[in-house]
Amino acid sequence: MAPRTTTLELHKEEMKFSAGHFTIFSATHRENLHGHNFSVYVALTGEVSDDGLLSDYGPLKQAIIARCKAWNETFFLPGHSKHLRLERDEKGNHVAHFNGEELRFLQRDVTVLPVANVSLEELARVFGEELVGDGSAMARDHITGLVVKCASGPGQWASWEWKRDV
């Protein structure tokens, strides 16, 4: 009998966070500071085991919720932007330099992300790469694909996709 595949979709009430940001469009143009109520959706694809399960997805669900809690009520700054320079002041607070402007943020309010820009595309990627890690847990659970979607509101999503090399 051929292996049976399925897709398991996770989109729970706890899989959301509120955060502030601004998108940088060029060396001279950026959005004003603002925020969103983001939500996260994750889909796992793989083989159904003889026990009728794809995976014990409890740990993955907890990792998603933990990341949402860590990002909740924070302000995102891009750590790899070619148009924004970040530094710390004498108190350890963040100073962002953009096109002659100086934006100051308390250290406790900021999450610097490993992204070129704070966009849905980048948030979905960072989320997904953290969940996949080195891929060993995905392989152990016979997961062959993962899709992470981040939304900044109804009808506005970006997705990141991972497929295991078979």
Side-chain angles (χ1 to χ4, degrees):
M1 190 156 126
R4 183 169 55 116
T5 61
T6 192
T7 298
L8 182 67
E9 300 175 79
L10 304 171
H11 184 63
K12 307 287 283 178
E13 179 64 26
E14 306 94 335
M15 294 169 59
K16 63 183 179 182
F17 58 94
S18 297
H21 81 114
F22 56 89
T23 301
I24 300 170
F25 297 108
S26 71
T28 59
H29 179 60
R30 69 167 178 87
E31 292 179 314
N32 289 333
L33 308 181
H34 66 282
H36 297 280
N37 293 316
F38 293 93
S39 59
V40 179
Y41 160 97
V42 175
L44 306 165
T45 300
E47 292 180 20
V48 176
S49 72
D50 293 338
D51 295 336
L53 300 170
L54 168 62
S55 167
D56 174 4
Y57 58 87
L60 183 69
K61 185 170 60 171
Q62 292 312 309
I64 296 164
I65 292 168
R67 168 55 53 217
C68 288
K69 285 181 179 179
W71 281 1
N72 194 44
E73 295 183 357
T74 188
F75 193 88
F76 295 145
L77 289 173
H80 302 306
S81 172
K82 63 183 178 181
H83 302 302
L84 185 77
R85 183 173 52 86
L86 298 178
E87 63 182 30
R88 296 288 189 99
D89 68 13
E90 65 283 350
K91 294 181 180 178
N93 294 319
H94 296 275
V95 182
H97 300 272
F98 176 80
N99 190 33
E101 298 174 327
E102 186 177 277
L103 298 90
R104 295 184 165 273
F105 302 91
L106 295 175
Q107 179 180 353
R108 71 185 189 113
D109 292 333
V110 170
T111 300
V112 178
L113 296 174
V115 298
N117 212 337
V118 180
S119 63
L120 288 175
E121 299 89 334
E122 290 280 66
L123 293 176
R125 176 187 62 81
V126 169
F127 221 107
E129 287 176 350
E130 182 177 304
L131 292 175
V132 169
D134 66 3
S136 61
M138 298 290 164
R140 180 189 66 237
D141 289 343
H142 305 287
I143 295 169
T144 57
L146 178 87
V147 174
V148 175
K149 293 184 180 184
C150 284
S152 59
Q156 191 162 309
W157 295 83
S159 61
W160 174 87
E161 189 170 346
W162 170 85
K163 290 187 189 273
R164 182 172 50 139
D165 296 329
V166 183

